[in-house]
Amino acid sequence: MNARRIGPASLTRLLGAWREGRGGPAYRQLADSLRLLILDGRLPLDVVLPGERELAATLEVSRTTVTAALARLRDDGFLDRRQGAGARTRLPKGPGERGMASLMAGSASEGLIDLASAAPPAAEVVHGAYAAALSQLPAHLPNHGYAALGLAELRAAVADRYTRRGLPTTADQIMITNGAQHAFALMLRLTCGPGDRVVIDHPTYPHAIDAIQRASCRPAPVGLPGEDWDVEGVTAALRQSGPRLAYFIADFHNPTGRWMSPQSRFAIAQAAARSRTTVIFDETLIDLWLDAPIQPYAFEEPDEGLVRLGSMGKSFWGGMRLGWIRADVQTIQALAPRRASIDLGTPLLEQLAAVHLIAGEETSLAARRDMLRHRRGVLLDLVRERLPEWKVASPPGGLSLWAELPAPVSTSLAATSERFGVRLAAGPRFGVDGAFERFIRLPYTLPPETLAEAVDGLAEAYARLRPSQAPARASLGAMV
Amino acid sequence: MNARRIGPASLTRLLGAWREGRGGPAYRQLADSLRLLILDGRLPLDVVLPGERELAATLEVSRTTVTAALARLRDDGFLDRRQGAGARTRLPKGPGERGMASLMAGSASEGLIDLASAAPPAAEVVHGAYAAALSQLPAHLPNHGYAALGLAELRAAVADRYTRRGLPTTADQIMITNGAQHAFALMLRLTCGPGDRVVIDHPTYPHAIDAIQRASCRPAPVGLPGEDWDVEGVTAALRQSGPRLAYFIADFHNPTGRWMSPQSRFAIAQAAARSRTTVIFDETLIDLWLDAPIQPYAFEEPDEGLVRLGSMGKSFWGGMRLGWIRADVQTIQALAPRRASIDLGTPLLEQLAAVHLIAGEETSLAARRDMLRHRRGVLLDLVRERLPEWKVASPPGGLSLWAELPAPVSTSLAATSERFGVRLAAGPRFGVDGAFERFIRLPYTLPPETLAEAVDGLAEAYARLRPSQAPARASLGAMV
């Protein structure tokens, strides 16, 4: 099925300084490094590796080393067993989700503390909302239950929510989706064709990068220096690369937690209008301000070409898989037939439950912010105490710290920390081309006692990396 | 956003004999024909029409006629209002889903009897299954609720179901999806790139055609003459067009209701193995045998390269939006990261409810088959009595009759029948390139008294078409 190939030069570049930072025989170091790249998602699945002879020549090791490394990976289930045609990357059998892009992995089943996903538990009100929804369900059971744009009541409730928050909206400007990622995939299908460019924050949400690349589009990353957005950088990217789409997490950016100022929003919206680029603001984290309340719609902006994605996932619960798109009526209508080529609608009961959750959100969101504010403080204190070399700042909202490490060891840290009971998503997962080896995302979504345990594990793992840190710094520097 | 153009020649071909079969001034006939093409999905949305001058020349009418026709469509909301750049197709504002591919439209809101969708109401057991699921939900609320491959319990339950039915299956061969259409979209993303061919039945499920085309792939249709499948035709298509994928609704085909014989399955699976084509059997309707019980897995076939899609939609309720993929373990593992680029999982409560529904399916499916068997008989009797010129046969299962009309008037009938209170999906929705104007799908999913009302409306609509039928037959003949 669709086997792509990776050339020896590209693979060597991905491997970086694979012989640094670990002990043991060369074949094992090579196998471990390749395993990490596969688990990490940087070496995609179903990719055919170069032949052994070629690989040995490019990596400047013996052919025996390569053969032994690949045999080990085969034994562990990371390469398929066919000989001759070139080894192909895969994931081992067994607990299904294991390793898949690490962010999607379940934690409980493997006894690791999951710092790879930044997703809080369900709000207390979720069960009650489902119970209320269940009592309304009988009225819908005689019908077939499909609605491409969503249940009328929920579309109205989401529209009213925008209106209440200062952005007048009608129900026909809303499409209900299976979460914000699904909403983004639909927008990609609507606006982009193969080869089109999509401007993104850099770093940004890993699954957004996946969605762009799997839609055969090209991410055009713009860095995030300083505290706000780099308006000049964004404007230049919009002007120069002629993107169809630009995707920003303006309200408590994932992973950095920053918030886009009204002036930046205005300037970016104007620049996008000039280049006829559709701007997407992913508002998945907008409810999670932890310092001053924000007023995201308290400025004039051109509404045309601006699309907002919302989600119940972080404000209430990810297990609901419910989100929405807010756009102009034409866009919403154009989305409906596109959606039918991906799926036929959002489950009805979830939509009824969402109406109840939105109606009672004021109290429940306040409680959720209190909880997260407390956990943010706990994690900041823990990191500053146990890992004083790491630079962390208190984000104004969102779900995670974006810690800066003194050396580009994020991937090694993620690998080592699993041995100390902690699963991490390494910095490069949040970027393209191997960037962010000097950063690690640390979510504060878990309970305080679990966070304490996790930081213990991190500190131990980090201590293991240290001896080899000084030499590694120079050789890995080029990857940052 | 991605405006495609349609040339005057293609549009003229699509319009066919637009001046036949209706009265009134030419501009209104032209406007009505274009409106139908848009509502019908044969003229896609966001397509830019040729200029007025060009159109007038090709259609051999006055420019005034074209101008008036386009103005009328603009007023009705089927073309956008921008001048100069060429009129672009769209759908009118108002009740959101209105007209979108007609199959997705809700019926109740507009007072039409919905014969466009073949989807039964919820099984009686659905509410109880949700209640049971709700009592289990608290155990899952402390977790983040995402699982790319689905809840372990449900994967095991679906696997056991296959095993019980004669096809030994393990849980790691199952991925839970948001319905069978979502499952098909995932398989397309896994196996196909732009331009790849996908062999389909012809006619087939309209959303399958949509999914193939929107994934930039090309359907390779194989007709369904006789009673079983055309094994020679399928084999030739597999050999000649080098398709990545072949999609069959072997178990109570939509729309014809036929069932693929074990010999045909075996021959097709073997031919597909020779051409290295992945075969998908969409088993959405497999539970709905209405005559003799079937034994779908009672034959030897090469399991490699065979993928089965299942769904709760027709067996229990479409409003659940839950389905699955059964494939080899490698395929399931390769699907997980692809899925993350479209959505992050299926809602958790639906999965818990599905476990309960599968556990008690024996009784509830028997009741559902009894209900559908009765309604099939009612509809057959009604059509034979009120529309004796239409050819209908009793399908061995599924949800619909595929009626053959004495003339190629399916699209006109669908348009006219709305005035008599019935929404239909015209025959060409089930094919490519305007085929099946001589057929209409008639689902027997609605209650008997509603079916009687619907057939009344159909008979009246059909009577209106009759006077112009004889002349139309010759000129429209080329479209069949």
Side-chain angles (χ1 to χ4, degrees):
Chain A
M1 309 205 168
N2 250 4
R4 284 174 290 168
R5 294 184 164 277
I6 183 166
S10 303
L11 186 57
T12 306
R13 191 167 46 78
L14 266 182
L15 277 167
W18 60 273
R19 266 171 299 199
E20 309 286 346
R22 279 152 211 274
Y27 84 88
R28 203 193 292 160
Q29 292 182 43
L30 179 57
D32 284 355
S33 300
L34 284 168
R35 175 180 163 276
L36 254 176
L37 288 174
I38 294 170
L39 279 176
D40 200 37
R42 289 159 69 194
L43 186 53
L45 300 180
D46 288 333
V47 161
V48 176
L49 300 185
E52 293 182 4
R53 187 192 306 261
E54 209 176 2
L55 207 48
T58 323
L59 292 174
E60 297 174 11
V61 294
S62 72
R63 175 125 185 226
T64 329
T65 298
V66 172
T67 307
L70 298 189
R72 190 185 175 91
L73 285 171
R74 258 191 215 99
D75 287 347
D76 291 351
F78 288 93
L79 293 176
D80 63 17
R81 304 213 135 264
R82 282 176 305 171
Q83 305 290 339
R88 194 158 62 163
T89 57
R90 37 162 295 199
L91 287 174
K93 291 193 197 193
E97 297 89 319
R98 174 76 184 84
M100 73 138 298
S102 71
L103 295 180
M104 296 286 293
S107 57
S109 59
E110 297 179 57
L112 293 179
I113 298 176
D114 184 8
L115 286 192
S117 53
E124 279 186 21
V125 290
V126 167
H127 194 268
Y130 269 120
L134 191 57
S135 72
Q136 296 174 305
L137 189 63
H140 297 273
L141 293 175
N143 305 322
H144 57 49
Y146 299 88
L149 293 174
L151 199 65
E153 298 96 292
L154 179 56
R155 296 174 72 196
V158 172
D160 289 351
R161 187 181 198 243
Y162 275 107
T163 305
R164 271 199 310 278
R165 292 174 175 206
L167 192 64
T169 304
T170 54
D172 56 1
Q173 287 181 267
I174 303 295
M175 176 188 207
I176 305 303
T177 67
N178 305 333
Q181 177 71 358
H182 179 237
F184 183 49
L186 290 172
M187 283 303 302
L188 277 166
R189 187 158 278 207
L190 177 65
T191 58
C192 292
D196 281 342
R197 287 200 174 260
V198 181
V199 169
I200 54 167
D201 300 326
H202 201 223
T204 193
Y205 179 52
H207 290 311
I209 301 174
D210 292 347
I212 293 166
Q213 291 175 335
R214 296 230 187 243
S216 306
C217 300
R218 289 176 297 168
V222 180
L224 290 167
E227 300 227 319
D228 195 0
W229 263 251
D230 174 10
V231 172
E232 274 184 39
V234 172
T235 306
L238 289 170
R239 202 176 50 231
Q240 288 158 13
S241 66
R244 307 295 303 236
L245 210 54
Y247 170 86
F248 303 110
I249 311 174
D251 300 281
F252 313 115
H253 177 256
N254 183 1
T256 70
R258 68 179 65 196
W259 187 72
M260 194 188 283
S261 70
Q263 306 86 284
S264 295
R265 282 169 210 253
F266 186 67
I268 288 176
Q270 285 204 311
R274 282 194 298 273
S275 64
R276 296 170 181 270
T277 304
T278 301
V279 171
I280 293 181
F281 285 127
D282 181 340
E283 298 181 335
T284 298
L285 298 162
I286 199 169
D287 295 332
L288 305 182
W289 47 265
L290 301 180
D291 294 334
I294 56 159
Q295 296 185 291
Y297 312 123
F299 58 96
E300 291 294 319
E301 61 191 4
D303 198 43
E304 172 100 17
L306 267 193
V307 173
R308 297 170 192 283
L309 311 184
S311 174
M312 305 293 283
K314 303 302 189 280
S315 301
F316 299 96
W317 192 38
M320 293 188 75
R321 309 304 322 118
L322 194 140
W324 57 81
I325 301 175
R326 180 200 179 275
D328 58 276
V329 177
Q330 299 293 334
T331 300
I332 296 296
Q333 293 199 330
L335 281 164
R338 263 93 180 173
R339 175 177 191 160
S341 70
I342 294 183
D343 76 290
L344 301 184
T346 299
L348 206 130
L349 190 73
E350 260 62 30
Q351 299 188 69
L352 293 171
V355 173
H356 290 283
L357 289 171
I358 288 175
E361 69 177 2
E362 211 167 312
T363 322
S364 71
L365 287 176
R368 202 158 182 81
R369 284 189 287 261
D370 285 345
M371 175 192 83
L372 289 168
R373 199 176 287 124
H374 175 62
R375 293 180 181 183
R376 176 185 64 172
V378 167
L379 182 60
L380 274 168
D381 289 349
L382 284 164
V383 172
R384 282 169 178 157
E385 190 195 317
R386 302 293 312 276
L387 293 153
E389 293 179 15
W390 297 15
K391 272 198 240 165
V392 285
S394 179
L399 294 168
S400 60
L401 311 181
W402 183 236
E404 186 176 350
L405 311 175
V409 294
S410 190
T411 301
S412 311
L413 178 68
T416 311
S417 69
E418 295 213 358
R419 285 196 278 138
F420 296 93
V422 182
R423 175 172 296 144
L424 290 172
R429 282 288 290 134
F430 299 83
V432 294
D433 298 330
F436 306 114
E437 267 295 354
R438 204 181 275 274
F439 291 86
I440 191 91
R441 185 181 71 166
L442 301 175
Y444 40 82
T445 45
L446 295 169
E449 58 281 11
T450 315
L451 289 175
E453 237 184 288
V455 175
D456 281 349
L458 284 184
E460 286 198 67
Y462 185 64
R464 297 293 170 113
L465 292 181
R466 266 193 186 140
S468 59
Q469 194 178 297
R473 191 179 304 194
S475 58
L476 285 173
M479 292 179 69
V480 181
Chain B
M1 311 204 163
N2 251 5
R4 283 174 291 166
R5 297 185 162 274
I6 182 167
S10 304
L11 187 57
T12 306
R13 192 166 45 79
L14 265 183
L15 277 166
W18 59 272
R19 265 173 298 201
E20 309 284 349
R22 277 154 214 274
Y27 85 88
R28 202 192 292 158
Q29 292 184 42
L30 179 57
D32 284 356
S33 300
L34 284 166
R35 174 180 163 275
L36 255 176
L37 288 174
I38 295 170
L39 278 176
D40 199 39
R42 289 159 67 195
L43 185 53
L45 300 181
D46 288 334
V47 161
V48 176
L49 300 186
E52 293 183 2
R53 187 191 308 260
E54 210 174 4
L55 208 48
T58 322
L59 292 174
E60 298 175 10
V61 293
S62 73
R63 177 126 183 228
T64 329
T65 298
V66 172
T67 308
L70 298 189
R72 190 186 174 92
L73 286 170
R74 259 190 214 99
D75 288 348
D76 291 353
F78 287 93
L79 294 175
D80 63 16
R81 307 212 132 264
R82 282 176 306 172
Q83 306 290 338
R88 195 158 63 162
T89 56
R90 37 162 295 202
L91 288 175
K93 292 195 197 189
E97 296 90 314
R98 173 75 183 85
M100 74 133 301
S102 72
L103 295 181
M104 295 284 293
S107 57
S109 58
E110 298 179 56
L112 293 179
I113 298 175
D114 185 8
L115 286 192
S117 53
E124 278 185 23
V125 290
V126 167
H127 194 269
Y130 269 120
L134 191 57
S135 72
Q136 296 174 306
L137 189 63
H140 297 272
L141 293 174
N143 305 323
H144 56 51
Y146 299 87
L149 293 175
L151 199 65
E153 298 97 291
L154 179 56
R155 295 175 74 196
V158 172
D160 289 351
R161 188 181 197 244
Y162 275 107
T163 305
R164 269 200 312 278
R165 292 174 176 206
L167 191 64
T169 305
T170 55
D172 57 1
Q173 286 181 268
I174 303 294
M175 174 188 210
I176 305 301
T177 68
N178 304 333
Q181 177 71 357
H182 180 236
F184 184 48
L186 291 171
M187 282 304 301
L188 277 166
R189 187 159 277 208
L190 176 66
T191 57
C192 291
D196 281 342
R197 288 199 174 260
V198 181
V199 169
I200 54 168
D201 299 326
H202 202 222
T204 193
Y205 180 51
H207 290 311
I209 301 174
D210 292 348
I212 292 165
Q213 291 176 334
R214 298 230 187 245
S216 307
C217 299
R218 288 176 297 168
V222 180
L224 289 168
E227 299 227 321
D228 194 359
W229 264 249
D230 174 11
V231 172
E232 276 186 37
V234 171
T235 305
L238 290 168
R239 199 178 51 232
Q240 287 157 16
S241 66
R244 308 297 300 241
L245 210 55
Y247 170 86
F248 302 110
I249 312 173
D251 298 282
F252 312 117
H253 176 257
N254 183 0
T256 68
R258 68 180 66 197
W259 188 72
M260 194 188 285
S261 68
Q263 305 88 285
S264 296
R265 285 169 208 251
F266 186 67
I268 288 175
Q270 284 203 312
R274 282 193 298 272
S275 64
R276 295 169 181 273
T277 304
T278 301
V279 170
I280 293 181
F281 285 127
D282 181 340
E283 298 181 335
T284 298
L285 299 162
I286 199 169
D287 295 331
L288 305 181
W289 47 265
L290 302 179
D291 295 332
I294 55 159
Q295 295 186 294
Y297 312 123
F299 58 97
E300 289 295 319
E301 62 191 1
D303 199 41
E304 173 100 17
L306 266 194
V307 173
R308 298 171 192 282
L309 311 183
S311 172
M312 305 292 282
K314 303 300 189 282
S315 302
F316 299 97
W317 191 39
M320 294 188 75
R321 311 301 324 119
L322 195 139
W324 56 82
I325 301 174
R326 179 199 181 275
D328 58 278
V329 177
Q330 298 292 336
T331 299
I332 296 296
Q333 292 197 332
L335 281 165
R338 262 93 181 175
R339 175 176 191 161
S341 70
I342 294 183
D343 77 290
L344 301 183
T346 299
L348 206 130
L349 190 72
E350 259 65 29
Q351 299 187 69
L352 293 171
V355 174
H356 291 283
L357 289 172
I358 288 175
E361 69 178 5
E362 210 167 314
T363 321
S364 70
L365 287 177
R368 203 160 182 79
R369 283 189 287 260
D370 285 345
M371 176 192 82
L372 289 169
R373 199 175 289 124
H374 176 61
R375 292 181 181 184
R376 177 185 63 172
V378 167
L379 183 60
L380 273 169
D381 289 347
L382 285 165
V383 173
R384 283 170 177 158
E385 187 195 320
R386 301 292 314 274
L387 293 154
E389 294 179 15
W390 297 15
K391 272 198 237 163
V392 285
S394 180
L399 295 167
S400 60
L401 312 182
W402 181 238
E404 186 177 349
L405 312 176
V409 294
S410 190
T411 301
S412 311
L413 178 68
T416 310
S417 70
E418 294 214 358
R419 286 196 277 137
F420 295 93
V422 182
R423 176 173 292 144
L424 291 171
R429 284 288 290 131
F430 299 82
V432 295
D433 298 331
F436 306 115
E437 267 296 353
R438 204 182 275 273
F439 291 85
I440 190 89
R441 184 181 72 168
L442 301 176
Y444 41 82
T445 46
L446 294 169
E449 57 281 11
T450 316
L451 289 177
E453 238 184 287
V455 174
D456 280 347
L458 283 184
E460 287 198 66
Y462 185 64
R464 294 293 169 113
L465 292 181
R466 268 202 185 131
S468 60
Q469 192 177 298
R473 189 181 303 196
S475 57
L476 285 173
M479 294 179 66
V480 181

